[in-house]
């Protein structure tokens, strides 16, 4: 009853919460009974049996039983077969009356249930005067080994009947515990199953990832037409609900699940009214009485799973401060921030981070014994200079490295992005500087001309009377303004040089003193 679990005292919550098994489980454990499984330890039972293949043959086979499986080796030659024990196995004795001297033959059958109905059936026979005793020994040993493998896959957990506090999905719980759910390819998953009370003419069996019931895997609906099945034999912990196959920890838990599911089905068949809270409490008490009888017969768990685990585990997350990785070198060197311009826009925002600033190479030292610079170009004669005056020395250019020479030989648009980037940005900055300088000069000339017209209006009307007046004030020729401002020839020449175009030859102006 929910009110009993949610009492005022925390001591009443004991047993209502599941145990923490292996930390927080984020996956569903999956195991496989593979055919080529490696056998563990030494063989526990070895003998020669007659393997019977229905409507095919009967041949002597040496069979060896191990903790996790068995091997079969035909004595007349053939390939050895290794196979792991499957929890979904049935071991039963068979009666053979059609064979001659059948009193000396004791046959038993090993059935492995598979998803989809393609079950594996193996028939063996013990021969001789003590065939029946020998068969009982083989059947008992096989059942014990399969039981040990099955128990090794289950965690240490008891069957629960009370709902989880704070989890509304478990409010109508009657029975809950771990089960093995059969899957394809001889695999099985360890799930947490929960049987709910019937309501509105139906019930359900919900499969969860773990005992906390916070991640639902699937839901199996139960109705009056649901098929509940099982098999009887020397050993069988398997039961079925429609086409689903489940395996319990042992035979007693299998009987408990079958009895609970069958009772719910009977209630649905006779269209019983929905149970009240008191009736659900009675259901839980009857199941709890049965569970208390099973607690003393629980088998001790083994050290680990005896089957191959094929769980699809998620990738491991970083360990945080526990790990100290080596520092990662940033391939992008640090660069000084540059003014954004047309060159930066053309190169793109990503290229700005990878731009390298080239420092000029130091000039080589010239020996004092040879003060004359070789291959120095001749200086033009300047008026007012004396022939005997010392000629100023021209500093020799620093030798360029191969990268600089290779960069200089590249035409616009050639080379890699890292090679073109400095040139593009430099050209953009030069283009902006030249445009800005031309705008300032044009504005200064326009301001000066307006000022002169206001102070001396006769300069504009009598500008052609004398050459002396024309030399005092020479206005630039009128051109079509660009965005309200004029661009000088010097600015146009700088723009042409920066953009890679051939500069045009400037003709000397007339009446201009050089």
């Amino acid at each position: 009853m929910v009110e009993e679990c949610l009492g005022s005292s925390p001591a009443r919550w004991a047993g209502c919460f599941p145990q923490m098994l292996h930390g927080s489980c984020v996956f569903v454990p999956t195991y496989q009974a593979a055919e080529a499984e490696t056998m563990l330890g030494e063989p526990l039972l070895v003998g020669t049996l007659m393997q019977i293949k229905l409507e095919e043959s009967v041949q002597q086979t040496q069979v060896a039983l191990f903790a996790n499986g068995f091997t079969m080796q035909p004595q007349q030659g053939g390939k050895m077969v290794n196979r792991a024990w499957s929890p979904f196995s049935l071991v039963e004795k068979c009666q053979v009356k059609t064979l001659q001297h059948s009193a000396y033959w004791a046959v038993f059958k090993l059935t492995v249930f598979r998803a989809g109905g393609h079950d594996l059936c193996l028939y063996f026979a013990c021969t001789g005067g003590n065939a029946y005793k020998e068969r009982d020994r083989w059947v008992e040993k096989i059942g014990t080994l399969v039981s040990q493998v099955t128990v090794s896959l289950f965690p240490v957990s008891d069957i629960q009947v009370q709902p989880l506090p704070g989890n509304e999905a478990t409010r109508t719980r009657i029975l809950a515990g771990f089960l093995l759910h059969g899957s394809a390819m001889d695999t099985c998953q360890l799930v947490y199953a929960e049987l709910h009370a019937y309501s509105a003419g139906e019930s359900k069996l919900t499969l969860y990832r773990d005992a906390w019931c916070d991640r639902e895997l699937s839901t199996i609906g139960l109705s009056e037409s649901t098929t509940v099945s099982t098999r009887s034999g020397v050993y069988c912990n398997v039961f079925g609900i429609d086409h689903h196959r489940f395996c319990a920890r042992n035979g007693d838990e299998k009987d408990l699940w079958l009895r609970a599911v069958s009772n719910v089905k009977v209630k649905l068949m006779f269209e019983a009214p929905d149970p009240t809270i008191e009736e659900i409490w009675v259901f839980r008490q009857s199941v709890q009485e049965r569970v208390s009888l099973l607690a003393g017969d629980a088998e001790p768990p083994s050290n680990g799973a005896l089957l191959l685990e094929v769980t699809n585990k998620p990738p491991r997350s970083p360990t945080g401060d526990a790990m100290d990785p080596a520092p990662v070198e940033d391939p992008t060197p640090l660069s000084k921030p540059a003014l954004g311009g047309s060159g930066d826009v053309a190169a793109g925002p990503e290229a700005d981070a990878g731009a390298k600033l080239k420092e000029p190479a130091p000039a080589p030292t010239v020996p004092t014994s040879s003060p004359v610079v070789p291959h120095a170009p001749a200086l033009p004669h300047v008026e007012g200079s004396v022939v005997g005056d010392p000629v100023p020395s021209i500093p020799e250019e620093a030798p360029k490295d191969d990268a600089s020479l290779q960069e200089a030989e590249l035409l616009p648009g050639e080379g890699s992005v890292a090679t073109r980037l400095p040139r593009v940005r430099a050209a953009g900055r030069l283009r902006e500087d030249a445009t800005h300088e031309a705008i300032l000069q044009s504005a200064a000339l326009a301001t000066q001309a307006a000022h002169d017209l206001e102070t001396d209006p006769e300069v504009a009307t009598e500008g052609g009377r004398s050459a002396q007046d024309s030399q005092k004030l020479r206005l630039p020729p009128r051109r079509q303004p660009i965005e309200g401002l004029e661009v000088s020839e010097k600015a146009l020449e700088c723009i042409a040089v920066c953009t890679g175009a051939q500069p045009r030859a400037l003709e000397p102006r007339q009446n201009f003193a050089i």
Side-chain angles (χ1 to χ4, degrees):
M1 189 172 178
V2 180
E3 289 76 9
E4 293 187 357
C5 290
L6 298 178
S8 58
S9 175
R12 295 188 179 183
W13 295 358
C16 295
F17 291 100
Q19 301 178 1
M20 182 63 69
L21 303 174
H22 309 290
S24 179
C25 184
V26 295
F27 53 86
V28 180
T30 306
Y31 304 95
Q32 182 180 21
E35 293 186 1
E37 182 71 15
T38 303
M39 300 293 103
L40 301 178
E42 299 295 331
L44 303 178
L45 181 59
V46 181
T48 302
L49 301 176
M50 302 296 294
Q51 184 180 5
I52 303 174
K53 296 182 179 180
L54 298 180
E55 300 180 359
E56 290 187 9
S57 62
V58 178
Q59 59 180 352
Q60 289 185 348
T61 304
Q62 185 177 5
V63 181
L65 304 183
F66 294 84
N68 64 328
F70 64 97
T71 62
M72 297 184 298
Q73 175 66 52
Q75 291 187 352
Q76 297 181 359
K79 184 179 179 180
M80 178 181 291
V81 178
N82 296 359
R83 183 169 184 85
W85 298 118
S86 174
F88 295 84
S89 299
L90 166 65
V91 184
E92 56 183 340
K93 301 176 182 179
C94 301
Q95 297 293 333
V96 180
K97 298 181 180 180
T98 58
L99 294 177
Q100 187 178 5
H101 306 293
S102 59
Y104 300 96
W105 285 67
V107 182
F108 65 94
K109 177 183 178 183
L110 175 62
T111 305
V112 178
F113 299 105
R114 292 175 172 177
H118 302 284
D119 301 337
L120 175 64
C121 299
L122 298 176
Y123 292 88
F124 299 97
C126 299
T127 59
N130 58 348
Y132 289 94
K133 293 183 179 180
E134 191 71 13
R135 180 185 65 179
D136 295 341
R137 186 166 68 98
W138 280 90
V139 168
E140 181 181 358
K141 192 64 176 179
I142 293 176
T144 302
L145 295 177
V146 176
S147 176
Q148 293 177 359
V149 170
T150 304
V151 173
S152 68
L153 306 182
F154 281 83
V156 181
S157 178
D158 298 332
I159 294 180
Q160 301 294 331
V161 297
Q162 299 294 342
L164 292 179
N167 193 338
E168 186 65 19
T170 63
R171 183 176 56 86
T172 58
R173 170 188 293 184
I174 296 179
L175 176 64
F178 284 98
L179 290 175
L180 290 175
H181 186 206
S183 304
M185 303 297 294
D186 290 332
T187 59
C188 58
Q189 293 182 335
L190 181 64
V191 298
Y192 193 81
E194 181 183 46
L195 179 63
H196 293 264
Y198 56 92
S199 177
E202 60 181 3
S203 181
K204 62 180 179 179
L205 179 68
T206 308
L207 306 182
Y208 295 99
R209 183 180 60 183
D210 50 27
W212 291 96
C213 302
D214 56 351
R215 182 66 62 87
E216 181 179 334
L217 300 178
S218 61
T219 301
I220 301 175
L222 303 179
S223 62
E224 57 180 7
S225 60
T226 300
T227 302
V228 182
S229 60
T230 186
R231 297 286 295 273
S232 60
V234 177
Y235 173 83
C236 182
N237 295 342
V238 184
F239 65 95
I241 300 177
D242 288 338
H243 63 280
H244 298 275
R245 298 251 177 105
F246 296 95
C247 178
R249 188 195 308 265
N250 48 48
D252 295 335
E253 290 191 6
K254 181 195 74 171
D255 296 339
L256 179 61
W257 280 98
L258 283 174
R259 182 176 179 180
V261 175
S262 300
N263 289 339
V264 172
K265 179 182 177 181
V266 171
K267 296 291 185 179
L268 295 176
M269 292 176 61
F270 290 94
E271 299 181 356
D274 295 347
T276 61
I277 298 179
E278 290 75 11
E279 292 177 344
I280 295 179
W281 182 83
V282 173
F283 296 160
R284 291 171 180 166
Q285 289 300 318
S286 4
V287 175
Q288 185 63 41
E289 292 177 1
R290 182 67 178 177
V291 171
S292 60
L293 298 177
L294 302 179
D297 301 337
E299 301 181 17
S302 60
N303 296 330
L306 296 179
L307 288 185
L308 177 64
E309 185 176 359
V310 292
T311 304
N312 187 14
K313 298 181 180 180
R316 293 185 177 181
S317 59
T319 55
D321 298 337
M323 62 182 301
D324 187 13
V328 180
E329 297 182 357
D330 189 4
T332 305
L334 297 177
S335 59
K336 297 181 180 180
L339 296 176
S342 58
D344 298 337
V345 175
E350 298 180 358
D352 187 18
K356 298 182 179 179
L357 297 179
K358 297 186 177 181
E359 299 180 357
T365 58
V366 181
T368 56
S369 59
S370 57
V372 181
V373 180
H375 306 288
L379 295 177
H381 176 68
V382 183
E383 276 186 73
S385 63
V386 183
V387 178
D389 292 343
V391 180
S393 61
I394 301 177
E396 184 181 1
E397 293 185 357
K400 299 181 179 180
D401 52 356
D402 296 340
S404 302
L405 295 176
Q406 183 179 3
E407 179 183 349
E409 295 176 358
L410 294 176
L411 297 177
E414 297 182 351
S416 61
V417 176
T419 306
R420 299 196 307 266
L421 180 60
R423 294 185 291 137
V424 172
R425 297 188 60 190
R429 287 192 292 270
L430 291 176
R431 190 182 305 112
E432 285 193 349
D433 295 343
T435 305
H436 184 64
E437 181 182 357
I439 293 174
L440 293 179
Q441 291 180 359
S442 301
L445 293 176
T447 305
Q448 183 66 24
H451 179 69
D452 293 342
L453 289 176
E454 293 177 359
T455 56
D456 193 2
E458 295 181 357
V459 177
T461 58
E462 299 178 358
R465 296 181 180 180
S466 62
Q468 184 177 1
D469 296 336
S470 61
Q471 292 180 359
K472 293 181 180 179
L473 178 61
R474 179 177 296 275
L475 296 176
R478 301 290 295 177
R479 294 188 179 92
Q480 185 67 22
I482 301 178
E483 297 183 358
L485 300 176
E486 296 181 352
V487 182
S488 63
E489 294 182 357
K490 182 179 179 180
L492 294 175
E493 182 179 359
C494 293
I495 294 174
V497 173
C498 295
T499 55
Q502 295 296 332
R504 60 183 179 85
L506 299 178
E507 299 179 357
R509 298 180 179 177
Q510 297 180 359
N511 301 329
F512 187 82
I514 299 177

